[in-house]
Amino acid sequence: KEVATKDRMFIRPLKIDLTQIDKIQEIKGKSILLVDDLLASGTTLTSANNLLRDLEISENIEAICLLGK
């Protein structure tokens, strides 16, 4: 939260735990639903989506947020 909202899109706050690579391979190519509990800036969902797309985990990624700010 120390980073200004306008600058958050330039930071990659999420990363893949390489010790879990077997589990990642299990979801490759499947539909993925990202669920966030609170939407403030959208950084978490955007970062998760970008990470999965960059790693070519799935082409079908959807997101939902339970609450908005």
Side-chain angles (χ1 to χ4, degrees):
K1 300 288 179 184
E2 304 84 37
V3 178
T5 302
K6 66 180 180 62
D7 297 327
R8 289 184 187 168
M9 65 182 192
F10 300 108
I11 296 173
R12 297 278 192 173
L14 303 176
K15 62 182 178 179
I16 295 290
D17 180 355
L18 295 178
T19 64
Q20 302 296 317
I21 200 74
D22 291 339
K23 291 180 182 177
I24 294 167
Q25 293 303 321
E26 289 177 18
I27 65 169
K28 193 164 187 152
K30 295 185 178 181
S31 297
I32 296 174
L33 176 63
L34 301 173
V35 180
D36 198 355
D37 60 341
L38 176 67
L39 181 66
S41 67
T43 302
T44 303
L45 289 176
T46 301
S47 296
N49 181 58
N50 291 341
L51 179 64
L52 293 169
R53 289 194 187 277
D54 289 349
L55 294 172
E56 298 178 351
I57 300 297
S58 178
E59 292 288 323
N60 189 14
I61 302 171
E62 300 290 332
I64 187 171
C65 184
L66 303 179
L67 300 170
K69 187 173 179 181

